[in-house]
Amino acid sequence: MSKILVIAEHLDGKLNSSTARAVSAASAVKGEAIDVLVLSDAPEAVAAEAAKIEGVSRVLTVARPENAHPLAAVLAPQIAKAATGYSHVFAPSTTFGKDVAPRVAALLGVAQVSDVMSVEAAHTFTRPIYAGNAIITVEADAAHTVVATIRTASWPAAPSGANNAPVEALTVDAALPTHTRFVELKQGSSDRPDLQSASKVVSGGRGVGSKENFDIIYKFADRIGAAVGASRAAVDAGYCPNEMQVGQTGKIIAPELYMAIGISGAIQHLTGIKDAGTIVAINKDGEAPIFEIADFGLMGDLFKIIPELEAALGA
Amino acid sequence: MKILVGYKRVVDYNVRIQVKPDGSGVVTDGVKLSANPFDDIALEEALRLREKGIAEEVIVVGIGPADLTAHLRNGLAMGANRAIHVVTADAVQPLTAARVFLKLIEKEQPGLVILGKQAIDDDANQTGQMLAALWDRPQATFAGKVEVADGKAKVTREVDAGLEAIEVDLPAVITTDLRLNEPRFIKLPDIMKAKSKPIDSIEFGSLGVEAHDHLKTTQYAAPAKRSKGVMVKDAAELVAALKQKGLL
Ligand SMILES: Cc1cc2nc3c(=O)[nH]c(=O)nc-3n(C[C@H](O)[C@H](O)[C@H](O)COP(=O)(O)OP(=O)(O)OC[C@H]3O[C@@H](n4cnc5c(N)ncnc54)[C@H](O)[C@@H]3O)c2cc1C
Ligand SMILES: Cc1cc2nc3c(=O)[nH]c(=O)nc-3n(C[C@H](O)[C@H](O)[C@H](O)COP(=O)(O)OP(=O)(O)OC[C@H]3O[C@@H](n4cnc5c(N)ncnc54)[C@H](O)[C@@H]3O)c2cc1C
């Protein structure tokens, strides 16, 4: 029977919702146990949150001062040790999981399945390649631990609240390197919903034209309670920070509503939004490829349309 | 210091990949192949470090079939001093690629290895991290800025929460993100010059790398298609439609 270890992602003492999505994928394996591993300098609050997630059997904590920041080189040896006895190790396919999971896989001497979209059987998964232009079915060798990252946009967050899984402190005997040191994290300070878990997202592209103009996007997003995203072209041009990039090489998201404003719809952008519930495109070019996949398209100048949308929303 | 750069050939990012009707793979016959965009960025970064006097030699590495030489010549034309071609006709999974790089590291003793954060064909995003683990050295993935001094590198990483800076002791593995730099264009005289630069060919089999693939791809499928929706005539109609769906 399968036993799955899910690596918790957290920041500033809060569990990231990607963890509950990875738990959903773990549940799909239909194993006998799902344990969540929290590596932190002070894991208590995060562990308490993880214990509430439905489907979680146990929460294991490793409290060490070295775990204050998520450095892959420091975390991976601990995860590799903790993985003993587990058939699967899952991490979310976020920059955190993408950084640490392959390092764990290599320490275990196994391959990794990246961006799991579905679990077909305990060792059979589907995943996207070529920016999502093809979906492959991969079979991992059942004789080895499966290390996988979970494409968060493909999985709902496992519900939270009903569960009360036991929390156990774990001591792992792993020598930790000092060759990698945390310096700082510059977070985009924002009171807006988190881009990766928001139910509504408004994104701006090169068509927005400047950093100053992007205020129109922020203002409209705030009006409807949406998170704000961007195309690569908008980020490259300095209109907005990198963490807002949506797409093949940015964030893959699945909001209920996605509004692409002044975005042409390059394949690399579309791969980041194809699981969105409803896609709205606003573009002045009627031939823009974004209209090919949009549920609702509106052709016209965004600088004229956005104020009209605000007016139509009423007071 | 030597810098080893991963230089993978992939299907060009402009090609719309088609899955073969029988699900046995994707159509790659006759499609345009180019350097993985992230590897061009890796090479550019290495060249800049050499131009600053921080590195002396930049070596591009390709793992792939015999006809990879023309691709490696592009890397040489861009400015690499020499190339290493590990020759194999088989598809190479990231763990195997990492093991190959480790063998080359043992021989070349580089101060820095720069790879792309992901190759845009398989989108695995694994090789650099796996290599760093096997080598037991630091990794700085998703690099948006690299500063090298005094045997250390300060790397600013593009992470979901924003920008994270870490400091790593060299030697280390760095993987590149899109905004690290803008790769230079190859000029005609450079193509001529590249013809005389050395390409070392090494048979994959001679490296003694275990190529046991733990992953088997059993099927290729086209992704579910989103159907084309409707065009609305104005803002009021759009708001009404979204309200009706309960989205606003
Ligand atoms: C390896 C690689 C990875 C990539 N990864 C990503 C990724 O993760 N995410 C991503 O987004 N891209 C990515 N790209 C880039 C992608 O190919 C496109 O270049 C990019 O998405 C284009 O952004 P855009 O649509 O904002 O700009 P453009 O393509 O320039 O489109 C701008 C649009 O705005 C419209 N417009 C202009 N003015 C107005 C106006 N006043 N009102 C209304 N509409 C207006 C125009 O008609 C046009 O359609 C990647 C590319 C490569 C090679
Ligand atoms: C048409 C086609 C079909 C394929 N079919 C399969 C298949 O069925 N199963 C399968 O497992 N693989 C297959 N492959 C191979 C696969 O695409 C990748 O080569 C392999 O899985 C490595 O993944 P990645 O390059 O996405 O790794 P990543 O970890 O995304 O690569 C990151 C970086 O590592 C370096 N790197 C990785 N590989 C090389 C290399 N060969 N040479 C130089 N640098 C490198 C580069 O710097 C690259 O930017 C196929 C390849 C092609 C072109």
Side-chain angles (χ1 to χ4, degrees):
Chain A
M1 271 302 257
S2 305
K3 274 183 79 180
I4 305 128
L5 187 66
V6 173
I7 313 305
E9 173 171 6
H10 55 90
L11 182 64
D12 299 335
K14 285 199 217 57
L15 189 67
N16 187 297
S17 68
S18 62
T19 310
R21 293 173 191 270
V23 169
S24 275
S27 299
V29 176
K30 299 193 171 62
E32 62 182 300
I34 299 171
D35 294 346
V36 174
L37 179 63
V38 180
L39 301 142
S40 171
D41 53 341
E44 294 76 18
V46 172
E49 270 190 85
K52 290 191 195 134
I53 301 173
E54 223 163 89
V56 172
S57 319
R58 287 189 305 166
V59 177
L60 307 171
T61 60
V62 181
R64 289 178 78 149
E66 296 94 329
N67 293 345
H69 302 286
L71 296 169
V74 172
L75 302 185
Q78 303 174 65
I79 298 171
K81 277 268 162 71
T84 311
Y86 289 91
S87 57
H88 299 65
V89 177
F90 282 5
S93 193
T94 53
T95 50
F96 164 76
K98 286 174 178 173
D99 189 36
V100 74
R103 191 155 183 134
V104 173
L107 291 177
L108 297 174
V110 301
Q112 174 184 297
V113 183
S114 296
D115 305 316
V116 168
M117 297 173 75
S118 72
V119 175
E120 304 294 313
H123 293 89
T124 309
F125 312 91
T126 64
R127 64 170 299 258
I129 58 171
Y130 292 104
N133 276 314
I135 311 298
I136 55 173
T137 305
V138 287
E139 259 177 51
D141 190 343
H144 298 274
T145 308
V146 179
V147 175
T149 60
I150 305 304
R151 183 176 181 275
T152 51
S154 299
W155 300 89
S160 188
N163 197 7
N164 186 15
V167 177
E168 295 169 22
L170 199 68
T171 328
V172 287
D173 163 35
L176 303 186
T178 53
H179 54 45
T180 306
R181 296 169 292 274
F182 175 84
V183 179
E184 62 175 344
L185 174 65
K186 284 204 188 114
Q187 290 193 63
S189 62
S190 164
D191 301 329
R192 295 191 179 85
D194 167 49
L195 178 57
Q196 258 160 328
S197 52
S199 63
K200 293 177 212 165
V201 174
V202 175
S203 282
R206 195 184 339 243
V208 177
S210 71
K211 192 174 173 184
E212 292 68 39
N213 287 353
F214 229 81
D215 280 342
I216 301 175
I217 303 289
Y218 291 123
K219 215 174 111 234
F220 178 63
D222 289 345
R223 181 68 194 276
I224 63 167
V228 180
S231 71
R232 173 189 172 187
V235 176
D236 283 2
Y239 303 172
C240 44
N242 64 285
E243 65 267 22
M244 281 169 52
Q245 181 175 318
V246 171
Q248 180 187 15
T249 51
K251 287 181 176 146
I252 312 278
I253 57 174
E256 285 161 33
L257 174 64
Y258 185 80
M259 299 185 70
I261 303 182
I263 292 178
S264 61
I267 181 75
Q268 292 87 5
H269 188 78
L270 300 185
T271 191
I273 58 168
K274 64 166 161 235
D275 294 312
T278 298
I279 297 178
V280 172
I282 297 173
N283 196 303
K284 68 177 181 189
D285 173 9
E287 304 288 304
I290 188 84
F291 287 127
E292 291 301 311
I293 58 110
D295 299 279
F296 297 106
L298 178 49
M299 200 182 110
D301 185 345
L302 70 95
F303 300 104
K304 187 169 158 283
I305 289 173
I306 294 180
E308 288 172 0
L309 286 172
E310 286 171 344
L313 281 167
Chain B
M1 174 167 92
K2 278 188 205 175
I3 304 180
L4 223 54
V5 173
Y7 201 64
K8 187 180 177 185
R9 184 178 65 177
V10 298
V11 173
D12 188 83
Y13 78 97
N14 279 312
V15 173
R16 229 172 221 285
I17 278 291
Q18 302 285 339
V19 174
K20 289 181 189 162
D22 66 358
S24 65
V26 297
V27 180
T28 51
D29 293 342
V31 306
K32 185 179 177 207
L33 301 172
S34 304
N36 180 32
F38 291 96
D39 291 353
D40 269 336
I41 295 170
L43 176 53
E44 176 65 35
E45 198 63 20
L47 296 175
R48 289 184 189 187
L49 288 169
R50 192 186 64 196
E51 283 155 7
K52 281 187 202 149
I54 292 167
E56 290 85 49
E57 195 181 28
V58 174
I59 308 162
V60 284
V61 177
I63 310 166
D67 70 357
L68 204 63
T69 1
H71 158 75
L72 289 171
R73 290 260 173 243
N74 289 338
L76 295 173
M78 220 173 117
N81 299 76
R82 60 190 171 94
I84 299 176
H85 179 187
V86 177
V87 187
T88 170
D90 299 327
V92 173
Q93 291 186 0
L95 184 58
T96 307
R99 286 175 172 153
V100 167
F101 273 100
L102 186 64
K103 288 285 178 194
L104 302 179
I105 285 170
E106 284 163 5
K107 184 156 162 261
E108 300 287 347
Q109 300 288 322
L112 202 54
V113 179
I114 313 183
L115 304 183
K117 81 163 174 181
Q118 74 199 68
I120 59 162
D121 49 4
D122 231 37
D123 285 334
N125 199 327
Q126 301 176 2
T127 309
Q129 297 88 313
M130 288 181 159
L131 172 62
L134 300 177
W135 192 15
D136 200 9
R137 293 304 309 167
Q139 70 188 47
T141 53
F142 325 143
K145 192 173 173 199
V146 174
E147 297 153 278
V148 179
D150 309 323
K152 294 191 279 260
K154 185 180 166 199
V155 178
T156 306
R157 308 176 54 234
E158 295 201 0
V159 296
D160 290 338
L163 293 171
E164 182 194 68
I166 63 172
E167 186 187 71
V168 297
D169 295 337
L170 301 186
V173 178
I174 292 175
T175 75
T176 60
D177 217 317
L178 289 170
R179 277 167 287 276
L180 181 57
N181 60 49
E182 260 187 64
R184 65 196 66 188
F185 289 106
I186 297 171
K187 294 189 220 71
L188 202 58
D190 300 329
I191 297 174
M192 301 309 293
K193 258 192 273 168
K195 289 195 173 137
S196 58
K197 290 184 181 176
I199 299 182
D200 252 342
S201 273
I202 304 174
E203 278 303 320
F204 176 84
S206 72
L207 285 173
V209 165
E210 183 199 345
H212 175 68
D213 286 346
H214 291 299
L215 297 182
K216 266 208 303 276
T217 301
T218 53
Q219 208 203 323
Y220 290 72
K225 271 218 170 60
R226 290 188 76 101
S227 47
K228 194 178 155 108
V230 295
M231 294 299 285
V232 294
K233 67 172 191 313
D234 59 20
E237 192 183 333
L238 178 58
V239 168
L242 294 178
K243 277 196 170 152
Q244 209 209 336
K245 289 194 116 191
L247 291 166
L248 282 180

